[in-house]
Amino acid sequence: IRYEATAALPALPQPLVRSLRRLRVRLCAMAPRSAPRSRPVAPGLLALAGLVASLVYLGSLGPAYSVKGVWQGQPTTLKDTVKGDFGSVMEGLEPKVSFPPIAYHREGVALSVEDGRLNADYTAKLDEDTMLQLRVNDEQEWRASLRGEDASLRVRGQGANLDSLSWEAAQSSSVEDVGDVKVEFNSDKEYNLTVVREMLARIAGAELDAKVRATNAGVTGRLGARRELPGGVEASYSVENPVGVYDLASSTHRGRLSAAVAGGEAVLQVEGDASSQAYEGSYARDLQGGRAGVRLSHRDGALGYNVSYARDFDGVLDGDAGVHIGIDEAGVYGKVTASREVGQGLGADYEASARFETGEDRRLQMQHALKLSNKLGYAQLAHGSGEAPRLRVGYEFN
């Protein structure tokens, strides 16, 4: 949240003040006379109610604060609240206020407060293509940058201490018959020199591209080729060596074939070097308002597969809903989601997921959660296999 402010916040209106006073009287009357093991409830609720009411009123004047609080635990914990012990619940719901950044700027000069730190910024346009930016904070940390159309320089430091000085520079250009060239280097004497040629040559209907990168650790290069084959088939291939390793047997080869088949897309991919290879084939298409897919792979000597179907029922049911089911090498799984407006600004969200593992353990895992929420807060009840039910209550607004 960002805004400019030059005046003090206005006082609360008298009707709101009188309402808060009446609320205080009622809470004091409700408070137990003796609660040796619990924290006083009325003052905490009064402070929370006062803060909420104040910030809601001030929020109507413009962006102000972000307020939130969360409590999570087992529903059995709420038994203590019946006895008048609100301690554990109130500790979680105590408001955590995030103050917004405040900034003032004029003609290239800016003062701002962010995360409790004061910053001073200066921005100037040196010429048509070059901008100068400088930032200093209240801990004497500073950074400066010069940015142009094809070059940049960034410098950081701490006060006048030159030992803390560090910088990074970069320059890019396009060289005829060479390609796009970019060089990067810094105060640690590290460098990157990258040359990219999107269209290196055209041979037998195939388009070749290349990329070379030189660093302190060595050079890596990539050569790629792509071509459209008859029947709408697209083929691509690339070979790339690791940085500083110039053995072709250690280079990584990647191949890909894709084609439109029966209203969907079929893809075959191969990747590997001389020591190991991985294969994957997949097919996906729209089906009955959803998306169906099949994937078969072989990697590191293990066979993997996944058959799935997912569909959204938005506009079909009263609210938003979706389902995702499938089977893979680990077992059978499924997920159902649903949400709708209940009324009076209240929304409900439900999510359930399950997985049955078909391995040696053969176990069923299930999780489901129900959440009710409005603009100010929410309550969520969640439960999973082998776990105690969990209740989560919270609020957040600004």
Side-chain angles (χ1 to χ4, degrees), residues 165-253:
L165 194 67
S166 63
W167 54 267
E168 300 173 354
Q171 185 173 8
S172 58
S173 61
S174 181
V175 181
E176 187 177 358
D177 297 330
V178 175
D180 297 330
V181 181
K182 184 175 183 179
V183 58
E184 302 167 289
F185 50 101
N186 58 33
S187 53
D188 294 328
K189 298 181 180 180
E190 299 172 338
Y191 74 91
N192 269 303
L193 173 62
T194 306
V195 181
V196 178
R197 185 75 178 268
E198 294 291 344
M199 176 58 73
L200 180 63
R202 185 186 296 271
I203 301 177
E207 298 178 354
L208 304 183
D209 62 85
K211 178 180 179 180
V212 178
R213 183 169 63 92
T215 70
N216 300 75
V219 179
T220 177
R222 176 188 177 277
L223 178 65
R226 57 187 181 275
R227 181 181 178 182
E228 292 188 4
L229 303 177
V233 179
E234 294 185 1
S236 64
Y237 168 80
S238 68
V239 57
E240 183 175 3
N241 73 291
V243 177
V245 179
Y246 311 112
D247 182 10
L248 186 61
S250 301
S251 300
T252 300
H253 301 258

Coordinates of all heavy atoms in Angstrom, one line a residue, residues 165-253:
L165 N 32.6 -1.8 -0.7 CA 32.1 -1.4 -2.1 C 32.1 -2.7 -3.0 O 33.0 -3.5 -3.0 CB 33.0 -0.4 -2.7 CG 32.5 0.3 -3.9 CD1 31.4 1.2 -3.5 CD2 33.7 1.2 -4.5
S166 N 31.0 -2.8 -3.7 CA 30.8 -3.9 -4.7 C 30.1 -3.4 -5.9 O 29.2 -2.4 -5.7 CB 30.1 -5.1 -4.1 OG 28.8 -4.8 -3.7
W167 N 30.3 -3.9 -7.0 CA 29.7 -3.4 -8.2 C 29.4 -4.5 -9.2 O 30.1 -5.6 -9.2 CB 30.5 -2.3 -8.9 CG 31.9 -2.6 -9.2 CD1 33.0 -2.4 -8.4 CD2 32.4 -3.3 -10.3 NE1 34.1 -2.9 -9.0 CE2 33.8 -3.4 -10.2 CE3 31.8 -3.8 -11.5 CZ2 34.6 -4.0 -11.1 CZ3 32.6 -4.4 -12.5 CH2 34.0 -4.5 -12.3
E168 N 28.5 -4.3 -10.1 CA 28.1 -5.2 -11.2 C 27.9 -4.4 -12.4 O 27.3 -3.3 -12.4 CB 26.9 -6.0 -10.9 CG 27.0 -6.9 -9.6 CD 25.7 -7.6 -9.3 OE1 24.7 -7.2 -10.0 OE2 25.6 -8.4 -8.3
A169 N 28.4 -4.9 -13.6 CA 28.2 -4.2 -14.8 C 27.8 -5.1 -15.9 O 28.1 -6.3 -15.8 CB 29.5 -3.5 -15.2
A170 N 27.1 -4.6 -16.9 CA 26.6 -5.5 -18.0 C 26.5 -4.6 -19.2 O 26.2 -3.4 -19.2 CB 25.3 -6.1 -17.7
Q171 N 26.8 -5.2 -20.4 CA 26.6 -4.5 -21.7 C 26.1 -5.5 -22.7 O 26.6 -6.7 -22.7 CB 27.9 -3.9 -22.1 CG 27.7 -3.0 -23.4 CD 29.0 -2.2 -23.7 OE1 30.0 -2.4 -23.1 NE2 28.9 -1.4 -24.7
S172 N 25.2 -5.1 -23.5 CA 24.7 -6.0 -24.5 C 24.6 -5.3 -25.9 O 24.5 -4.1 -25.9 CB 23.3 -6.5 -24.2 OG 22.4 -5.4 -24.0
S173 N 24.8 -6.1 -26.9 CA 24.8 -5.5 -28.3 C 24.5 -6.6 -29.3 O 24.5 -7.8 -29.0 CB 26.1 -4.8 -28.6 OG 27.2 -5.8 -28.6
S174 N 24.1 -6.2 -30.5 CA 23.9 -7.1 -31.5 C 24.9 -6.9 -32.6 O 25.1 -5.8 -33.2 CB 22.5 -6.9 -32.1 OG 22.2 -7.8 -33.2
V175 N 25.7 -8.0 -32.9 CA 26.8 -7.9 -33.8 C 26.5 -8.6 -35.1 O 26.1 -9.8 -35.0 CB 28.1 -8.5 -33.2 CG1 29.3 -8.3 -34.2 CG2 28.4 -7.8 -31.9
E176 N 26.6 -8.0 -36.2 CA 26.3 -8.6 -37.5 C 27.1 -9.8 -37.8 O 28.3 -9.9 -37.5 CB 26.5 -7.6 -38.6 CG 26.0 -8.0 -40.0 CD 26.2 -7.0 -41.1 OE1 26.6 -5.9 -40.7 OE2 25.9 -7.3 -42.2
D177 N 26.5 -10.9 -38.2 CA 27.1 -12.2 -38.5 C 27.6 -12.9 -37.3 O 28.3 -13.9 -37.4 CB 28.3 -12.0 -39.6 CG 27.8 -11.5 -40.9 OD1 26.6 -11.8 -41.3 OD2 28.6 -10.8 -41.6
V178 N 27.4 -12.4 -36.1 CA 27.8 -13.0 -34.9 C 26.6 -13.4 -34.0 O 26.4 -14.6 -33.7 CB 28.8 -12.2 -34.1 CG1 29.1 -12.8 -32.7 CG2 30.0 -11.9 -34.8
G179 N 25.7 -12.4 -33.7 CA 24.5 -12.7 -32.9 C 24.4 -11.7 -31.8 O 25.0 -10.6 -31.8
D180 N 23.5 -12.0 -30.9 CA 23.3 -11.1 -29.7 C 24.4 -11.4 -28.7 O 24.5 -12.6 -28.2 CB 21.9 -11.3 -29.1 CG 20.8 -11.0 -30.1 OD1 21.0 -10.1 -30.9 OD2 19.8 -11.6 -30.1
V181 N 25.1 -10.4 -28.3 CA 26.3 -10.5 -27.4 C 25.9 -9.8 -26.1 O 25.5 -8.7 -26.1 CB 27.6 -10.0 -28.0 CG1 28.7 -10.2 -27.0 CG2 27.8 -10.7 -29.3
K182 N 26.2 -10.5 -25.0 CA 26.0 -9.9 -23.6 C 27.2 -10.2 -22.8 O 27.5 -11.4 -22.6 CB 24.7 -10.3 -23.0 CG 24.4 -9.6 -21.7 CD 23.1 -10.0 -21.1 CE 22.8 -9.3 -19.8 NZ 21.5 -9.7 -19.2
V183 N 27.8 -9.2 -22.2 CA 28.9 -9.5 -21.2 C 28.6 -8.9 -19.9 O 28.0 -7.8 -19.8 CB 30.2 -8.8 -21.8 CG1 30.0 -7.3 -22.0 CG2 31.4 -9.1 -20.8
E184 N 28.8 -9.7 -18.8 CA 28.5 -9.3 -17.4 C 29.8 -9.6 -16.6 O 30.4 -10.7 -16.7 CB 27.4 -10.2 -16.9 CG 26.1 -10.1 -17.7 CD 25.1 -11.1 -17.3 OE1 25.3 -12.3 -17.6 OE2 24.1 -10.8 -16.6
F185 N 30.1 -8.6 -15.7 CA 31.3 -8.8 -14.9 C 31.1 -8.0 -13.6 O 30.2 -7.1 -13.6 CB 32.6 -8.4 -15.6 CG 32.5 -7.0 -16.2 CD1 33.1 -5.9 -15.6 CD2 31.9 -6.9 -17.5 CE1 33.0 -4.7 -16.2 CE2 31.8 -5.6 -18.1 CZ 32.4 -4.5 -17.4
N186 N 31.8 -8.3 -12.5 CA 31.6 -7.7 -11.2 C 32.9 -7.5 -10.5 O 34.0 -7.8 -11.0 CB 30.6 -8.5 -10.4 CG 31.1 -9.9 -10.2 OD1 32.3 -10.2 -10.0 ND2 30.1 -10.9 -10.1
S187 N 32.8 -6.9 -9.3 CA 34.0 -6.6 -8.5 C 34.7 -7.8 -7.9 O 35.8 -7.7 -7.5 CB 33.5 -5.7 -7.3 OG 32.5 -6.3 -6.6
D188 N 34.0 -9.0 -8.0 CA 34.7 -10.3 -7.6 C 35.4 -10.9 -8.7 O 35.8 -12.1 -8.6 CB 33.6 -11.2 -7.0 CG 33.0 -10.7 -5.7 OD1 33.7 -10.0 -5.0 OD2 31.8 -11.0 -5.5
K189 N 35.6 -10.2 -9.8 CA 36.3 -10.7 -11.0 C 35.6 -11.9 -11.6 O 36.3 -12.7 -12.2 CB 37.7 -11.0 -10.7 CG 38.5 -9.8 -10.2 CD 40.0 -10.1 -9.9 CE 40.7 -8.9 -9.4 NZ 42.1 -9.2 -9.1
E190 N 34.3 -12.0 -11.5 CA 33.5 -13.0 -12.1 C 33.0 -12.4 -13.4 O 32.6 -11.2 -13.5 CB 32.4 -13.5 -11.2 CG 32.9 -14.1 -9.9 CD 31.7 -14.5 -9.0 OE1 30.6 -13.8 -9.2 OE2 31.9 -15.3 -8.1
Y191 N 32.8 -13.3 -14.4 CA 32.3 -12.8 -15.7 C 31.5 -13.8 -16.4 O 31.6 -15.0 -16.2 CB 33.5 -12.3 -16.6 CG 34.3 -13.4 -17.2 CD1 33.9 -13.9 -18.5 CD2 35.4 -14.0 -16.6 CE1 34.6 -15.0 -19.1 CE2 36.1 -15.0 -17.2 CZ 35.7 -15.5 -18.4 OH 36.4 -16.5 -19.0
N192 N 30.6 -13.3 -17.3 CA 29.8 -14.1 -18.2 C 29.8 -13.5 -19.5 O 29.4 -12.3 -19.6 CB 28.3 -14.3 -17.7 CG 28.2 -15.5 -16.8 OD1 28.4 -16.6 -17.1 ND2 27.7 -15.2 -15.6
L193 N 30.2 -14.2 -20.5 CA 30.1 -13.7 -21.9 C 29.2 -14.7 -22.7 O 29.5 -15.8 -22.8 CB 31.5 -13.7 -22.6 CG 31.5 -13.3 -24.1 CD1 31.0 -11.9 -24.3 CD2 32.9 -13.4 -24.6
T194 N 28.1 -14.1 -23.1 CA 27.1 -15.0 -23.8 C 26.8 -14.5 -25.2 O 26.6 -13.3 -25.4 CB 25.7 -15.0 -23.0 OG1 26.0 -15.3 -21.7 CG2 24.7 -15.9 -23.6
V195 N 26.8 -15.4 -26.2 CA 26.6 -15.1 -27.6 C 25.4 -16.0 -28.0 O 25.6 -17.3 -27.9 CB 27.8 -15.3 -28.4 CG1 27.5 -15.0 -29.9 CG2 29.0 -14.5 -28.0
V196 N 24.4 -15.5 -28.5 CA 23.2 -16.2 -29.0 C 22.9 -15.9 -30.4 O 22.9 -14.7 -30.8 CB 21.9 -15.9 -28.1 CG1 20.7 -16.7 -28.6 CG2 22.2 -16.2 -26.7
R197 N 22.7 -16.9 -31.2 CA 22.4 -16.8 -32.6 C 21.1 -17.6 -32.9 O 21.1 -18.8 -32.9 CB 23.5 -17.3 -33.5 CG 23.3 -17.1 -35.0 CD 23.6 -15.6 -35.4 NE 23.4 -15.4 -36.8 CZ 24.4 -15.5 -37.7 NH1 25.6 -15.8 -37.3 NH2 24.1 -15.3 -39.0
E198 N 20.0 -16.9 -33.0 CA 18.7 -17.6 -33.1 C 18.6 -18.3 -34.5 O 18.0 -19.4 -34.5 CB 17.6 -16.5 -33.0 CG 17.4 -15.9 -31.6 CD 16.9 -16.9 -30.6 OE1 16.4 -18.0 -31.0 OE2 17.1 -16.6 -29.4
M199 N 19.1 -17.7 -35.5 CA 19.1 -18.4 -36.8 C 20.6 -18.5 -37.3 O 21.1 -17.5 -37.9 CB 18.3 -17.6 -37.8 CG 18.3 -18.1 -39.2 SD 17.7 -19.8 -39.4 CE 16.0 -19.6 -39.1
L200 N 21.2 -19.6 -37.1 CA 22.5 -19.9 -37.5 C 22.6 -20.2 -38.9 O 23.5 -19.7 -39.7 CB 23.2 -20.9 -36.6 CG 24.6 -21.3 -36.9 CD1 25.5 -20.1 -36.6 CD2 25.1 -22.5 -36.0
A201 N 21.8 -21.2 -39.4 CA 21.7 -21.6 -40.8 C 20.5 -22.4 -41.0 O 19.8 -22.8 -40.1 CB 23.0 -22.4 -41.1
R202 N 20.2 -22.6 -42.3 CA 19.1 -23.5 -42.7 C 19.7 -24.6 -43.6 O 20.2 -24.3 -44.6 CB 18.0 -22.7 -43.4 CG 16.8 -23.5 -43.7 CD 15.8 -22.7 -44.6 NE 15.3 -21.5 -43.8 CZ 14.2 -21.6 -43.1 NH1 13.5 -22.7 -43.0 NH2 13.8 -20.5 -42.5
I203 N 19.5 -25.8 -43.1 CA 20.1 -27.0 -43.8 C 19.0 -28.1 -44.0 O 18.5 -28.5 -43.0 CB 21.3 -27.6 -43.1 CG1 22.4 -26.5 -42.9 CG2 21.9 -28.8 -43.8 CD1 23.6 -27.0 -42.1
A204 N 18.8 -28.4 -45.2 CA 17.8 -29.5 -45.5 C 16.4 -29.2 -44.9 O 15.8 -30.1 -44.3 CB 18.3 -30.8 -45.1
G205 N 16.0 -28.0 -44.8 CA 14.7 -27.6 -44.3 C 14.7 -27.5 -42.8 O 13.7 -27.1 -42.2
A206 N 15.9 -27.7 -42.1 CA 16.0 -27.5 -40.6 C 16.6 -26.2 -40.3 O 17.6 -25.8 -40.9 CB 16.8 -28.7 -40.1
E207 N 16.1 -25.6 -39.3 CA 16.6 -24.3 -38.8 C 17.6 -24.6 -37.6 O 17.2 -25.2 -36.6 CB 15.5 -23.4 -38.3 CG 14.6 -23.0 -39.5 CD 13.4 -22.1 -39.0 OE1 13.4 -21.9 -37.7 OE2 12.7 -21.6 -39.8
L208 N 18.8 -24.1 -37.7 CA 19.8 -24.3 -36.7 C 20.0 -23.0 -35.8 O 19.9 -21.9 -36.4 CB 21.2 -24.6 -37.3 CG 21.2 -25.9 -38.2 CD1 22.6 -26.1 -38.7 CD2 20.7 -27.1 -37.5
D209 N 20.2 -23.2 -34.5 CA 20.4 -22.1 -33.6 C 21.6 -22.5 -32.7 O 21.9 -23.7 -32.5 CB 19.2 -21.7 -32.8 CG 18.7 -22.9 -31.9 OD1 19.3 -23.0 -30.8 OD2 17.8 -23.6 -32.3
A210 N 22.3 -21.5 -32.1 CA 23.4 -21.8 -31.3 C 23.5 -20.8 -30.1 O 23.0 -19.7 -30.2 CB 24.7 -21.7 -32.1
K211 N 24.1 -21.3 -29.0 CA 24.4 -20.4 -27.9 C 25.7 -20.8 -27.2 O 25.9 -22.0 -27.0 CB 23.2 -20.6 -26.9 CG 23.4 -19.8 -25.6 CD 22.3 -19.9 -24.6 CE 22.5 -19.2 -23.3 NZ 21.4 -19.3 -22.4
V212 N 26.5 -19.9 -27.0 CA 27.8 -20.1 -26.3 C 27.9 -19.2 -25.1 O 27.6 -18.0 -25.2 CB 29.0 -19.9 -27.3 CG1 30.3 -20.1 -26.6 CG2 28.9 -20.8 -28.5
R213 N 28.4 -19.8 -24.0 CA 28.6 -18.9 -22.8 C 29.9 -19.3 -22.2 O 30.3 -20.4 -21.9 CB 27.5 -19.2 -21.8 CG 27.5 -18.4 -20.5 CD 26.3 -18.5 -19.7 NE 26.1 -19.9 -19.3 CZ 26.5 -20.4 -18.1 NH1 27.1 -19.5 -17.2 NH2 26.3 -21.6 -17.7
A214 N 30.7 -18.2 -22.0 CA 32.0 -18.4 -21.4 C 32.0 -17.8 -20.0 O 31.5 -16.7 -19.7 CB 33.1 -17.6 -22.2
T215 N 32.6 -18.5 -19.0 CA 32.6 -18.1 -17.6 C 34.0 -18.3 -17.0 O 34.9 -18.9 -17.7 CB 31.6 -18.8 -16.7 OG1 32.0 -20.2 -16.6 CG2 30.2 -18.7 -17.4
N216 N 34.2 -18.0 -15.8 CA 35.5 -18.3 -15.1 C 35.8 -19.8 -15.0 O 36.9 -20.2 -15.0 CB 35.5 -17.7 -13.7 CG 35.3 -16.2 -13.7 OD1 34.2 -15.7 -13.9 ND2 36.4 -15.5 -13.4
A217 N 34.7 -20.6 -15.0 CA 34.8 -22.0 -14.9 C 35.0 -22.7 -16.2 O 35.3 -23.9 -16.3 CB 33.6 -22.6 -14.2
G218 N 34.8 -22.0 -17.3 CA 35.0 -22.6 -18.6 C 33.9 -22.2 -19.6 O 33.2 -21.2 -19.4
V219 N 33.8 -22.9 -20.7 CA 32.9 -22.6 -21.8 C 31.8 -23.7 -21.9 O 32.1 -24.9 -21.8 CB 33.6 -22.4 -23.1 CG1 32.7 -22.0 -24.2 CG2 34.7 -21.3 -22.9
T220 N 30.6 -23.3 -22.2 CA 29.5 -24.3 -22.5 C 28.9 -23.8 -23.8 O 28.7 -22.6 -24.1 CB 28.5 -24.4 -21.4 OG1 27.4 -25.2 -21.8 CG2 27.9 -23.0 -21.1
G221 N 28.5 -24.7 -24.6 CA 27.9 -24.4 -25.9 C 26.7 -25.3 -26.2 O 26.6 -26.4 -25.7
R222 N 25.7 -24.7 -26.9 CA 24.5 -25.5 -27.2 C 24.2 -25.3 -28.7 O 24.2 -24.2 -29.2 CB 23.3 -25.0 -26.4 CG 22.0 -25.7 -26.8 CD 20.8 -25.0 -26.1 NE 19.5 -25.6 -26.5 CZ 18.9 -25.3 -27.6 NH1 19.4 -24.3 -28.4 NH2 17.7 -25.9 -27.9
L223 N 24.0 -26.4 -29.4 CA 23.6 -26.4 -30.8 C 22.2 -27.1 -31.0 O 22.0 -28.2 -30.5 CB 24.6 -27.1 -31.7 CG 24.3 -27.2 -33.2 CD1 24.3 -25.8 -33.8 CD2 25.3 -28.1 -33.9
G224 N 21.3 -26.4 -31.6 CA 19.9 -26.9 -31.7 C 19.4 -26.9 -33.1 O 19.9 -26.1 -34.0
A225 N 18.5 -27.8 -33.4 CA 17.9 -27.8 -34.8 C 16.4 -28.1 -34.6 O 16.0 -28.9 -33.7 CB 18.6 -28.9 -35.6
R226 N 15.6 -27.5 -35.4 CA 14.2 -27.8 -35.4 C 13.6 -27.8 -36.9 O 14.1 -27.0 -37.7 CB 13.4 -26.7 -34.6 CG 13.6 -25.3 -35.0 CD 13.0 -24.3 -34.0 NE 13.2 -22.9 -34.5 CZ 14.3 -22.2 -34.2 NH1 15.3 -22.7 -33.5 NH2 14.4 -21.0 -34.6
R227 N 12.6 -28.6 -37.1 CA 12.1 -28.8 -38.4 C 10.6 -29.3 -38.3 O 10.3 -30.1 -37.5 CB 12.9 -29.7 -39.3 CG 12.4 -29.9 -40.7 CD 13.2 -30.8 -41.5 NE 12.6 -31.0 -42.8 CZ 13.1 -31.8 -43.8 NH1 14.2 -32.5 -43.5 NH2 12.5 -31.9 -44.9
E228 N 9.8 -28.8 -39.3 CA 8.5 -29.3 -39.4 C 8.5 -30.4 -40.5 O 8.9 -30.2 -41.6 CB 7.5 -28.2 -39.9 CG 7.3 -27.1 -38.8 CD 6.2 -26.1 -39.2 OE1 5.6 -26.3 -40.2 OE2 6.0 -25.2 -38.4
L229 N 7.9 -31.6 -40.1 CA 7.9 -32.7 -40.9 C 6.5 -32.9 -41.5 O 5.5 -32.3 -41.1 CB 8.2 -34.0 -40.1 CG 9.6 -34.0 -39.5 CD1 9.8 -35.2 -38.7 CD2 10.7 -33.8 -40.5
P230 N 6.3 -33.7 -42.5 CA 5.0 -33.9 -43.1 C 4.0 -34.5 -42.1 O 4.4 -35.1 -41.1 CB 5.2 -35.0 -44.2 CG 6.7 -34.8 -44.6 CD 7.4 -34.4 -43.3
G231 N 2.7 -34.1 -42.3 CA 1.7 -34.6 -41.3 C 1.6 -33.7 -40.1 O 1.0 -34.2 -39.1
G232 N 2.1 -32.5 -40.1 CA 2.0 -31.7 -38.9 C 2.9 -32.1 -37.8 O 2.7 -31.6 -36.6
V233 N 3.9 -32.9 -38.0 CA 4.9 -33.3 -37.0 C 6.0 -32.3 -36.8 O 6.6 -31.8 -37.8 CB 5.5 -34.7 -37.3 CG1 6.5 -35.1 -36.2 CG2 4.4 -35.7 -37.4
E234 N 6.3 -31.9 -35.6 CA 7.4 -31.0 -35.3 C 8.5 -31.7 -34.6 O 8.2 -32.4 -33.6 CB 6.9 -29.8 -34.4 CG 5.9 -28.9 -35.2 CD 5.5 -27.7 -34.3 OE1 6.1 -27.6 -33.2 OE2 4.7 -26.9 -34.8
A235 N 9.7 -31.6 -35.1 CA 10.9 -32.3 -34.5 C 11.9 -31.2 -34.1 O 12.1 -30.2 -34.8 CB 11.5 -33.3 -35.5
S236 N 12.6 -31.5 -33.0 CA 13.7 -30.7 -32.5 C 14.7 -31.5 -31.8 O 14.4 -32.6 -31.3 CB 13.1 -29.6 -31.5 OG 12.6 -30.2 -30.3
Y237 N 16.0 -31.0 -31.9 CA 17.1 -31.7 -31.3 C 18.1 -30.7 -30.9 O 18.3 -29.7 -31.5 CB 17.7 -32.7 -32.3 CG 19.1 -33.2 -31.9 CD1 19.1 -34.3 -31.0 CD2 20.2 -32.7 -32.4 CE1 20.4 -34.8 -30.6 CE2 21.5 -33.2 -32.0 CZ 21.5 -34.2 -31.1 OH 22.8 -34.7 -30.7
S238 N 18.8 -31.0 -29.7 CA 19.9 -30.1 -29.2 C 20.9 -31.0 -28.5 O 20.6 -32.0 -28.0 CB 19.3 -29.1 -28.3 OG 18.8 -29.6 -27.1
V239 N 22.1 -30.4 -28.5 CA 23.2 -31.0 -27.8 C 24.0 -29.9 -27.1 O 24.2 -28.8 -27.6 CB 24.2 -31.8 -28.8 CG1 24.7 -30.9 -29.9 CG2 25.3 -32.4 -28.0
E240 N 24.3 -30.2 -25.8 CA 24.9 -29.1 -25.0 C 25.9 -29.8 -24.0 O 25.7 -30.8 -23.4 CB 23.9 -28.4 -24.1 CG 24.4 -27.3 -23.3 CD 23.3 -26.5 -22.6 OE1 22.1 -26.9 -22.8 OE2 23.5 -25.5 -21.9
N241 N 27.1 -29.2 -23.9 CA 28.1 -29.7 -23.0 C 28.1 -29.0 -21.7 O 27.8 -27.8 -21.6 CB 29.5 -29.5 -23.7 CG 30.0 -28.1 -23.7 OD1 29.4 -27.2 -24.4 ND2 31.0 -27.8 -22.9
P242 N 28.5 -29.7 -20.6 CA 28.6 -29.0 -19.3 C 29.7 -27.9 -19.3 O 30.6 -28.0 -20.1 CB 28.9 -30.1 -18.3 CG 28.5 -31.4 -19.1 CD 28.7 -31.1 -20.5
V243 N 29.6 -27.0 -18.4 CA 30.6 -25.9 -18.3 C 32.0 -26.5 -18.1 O 32.2 -27.2 -17.1 CB 30.2 -24.9 -17.2 CG1 31.3 -23.8 -17.1 CG2 28.9 -24.3 -17.5
G244 N 32.9 -26.2 -18.9 CA 34.3 -26.6 -18.7 C 34.5 -28.1 -19.1 O 35.7 -28.6 -18.9
V245 N 33.5 -28.8 -19.6 CA 33.7 -30.2 -20.0 C 33.5 -30.3 -21.5 O 32.5 -30.0 -22.0 CB 32.7 -31.2 -19.3 CG1 32.9 -32.6 -19.7 CG2 32.8 -31.0 -17.7
Y246 N 34.6 -30.8 -22.2 CA 34.5 -30.8 -23.6 C 34.5 -32.2 -24.2 O 35.0 -32.3 -25.4 CB 35.7 -29.9 -24.1 CG 35.8 -28.6 -23.4 CD1 36.9 -28.3 -22.6 CD2 34.9 -27.6 -23.6 CE1 37.0 -27.1 -21.9 CE2 35.0 -26.4 -22.9 CZ 36.0 -26.2 -22.1 OH 36.1 -25.0 -21.4
D247 N 34.1 -33.1 -23.5 CA 33.9 -34.5 -24.0 C 32.5 -34.7 -24.5 O 31.6 -34.5 -23.8 CB 34.2 -35.5 -22.8 CG 34.2 -36.9 -23.3 OD1 34.1 -37.1 -24.5 OD2 34.2 -37.8 -22.4
L248 N 32.4 -35.1 -25.8 CA 31.1 -35.3 -26.4 C 30.3 -36.3 -25.7 O 29.1 -36.2 -25.6 CB 31.3 -35.6 -27.9 CG 30.0 -35.7 -28.7 CD1 29.3 -34.3 -28.7 CD2 30.3 -36.1 -30.1
A249 N 30.9 -37.3 -25.1 CA 30.2 -38.3 -24.4 C 29.5 -37.8 -23.1 O 28.5 -38.4 -22.7 CB 31.1 -39.5 -24.0
S250 N 30.0 -36.7 -22.6 CA 29.4 -36.1 -21.4 C 28.3 -35.1 -21.8 O 27.7 -34.5 -20.9 CB 30.5 -35.4 -20.5 OG 31.4 -36.4 -20.1
S251 N 28.2 -34.8 -23.0 CA 27.2 -33.8 -23.4 C 25.8 -34.3 -23.3 O 25.5 -35.5 -23.4 CB 27.4 -33.3 -24.9 OG 28.7 -32.7 -25.0
T252 N 24.8 -33.4 -23.1 CA 23.4 -33.8 -23.0 C 22.7 -33.7 -24.3 O 22.8 -32.6 -24.9 CB 22.7 -33.0 -21.9 OG1 23.4 -33.2 -20.6 CG2 21.3 -33.4 -21.8
H253 N 22.0 -34.7 -24.7 CA 21.3 -34.7 -26.0 C 19.8 -34.7 -25.6 O 19.3 -35.4 -24.8 CB 21.6 -35.9 -26.8 CG 23.1 -36.0 -27.2 ND1 23.6 -35.7 -28.4 CD2 24.1 -36.5 -26.4 CE1 24.9 -35.9 -28.4 NE2 25.2 -36.4 -27.3

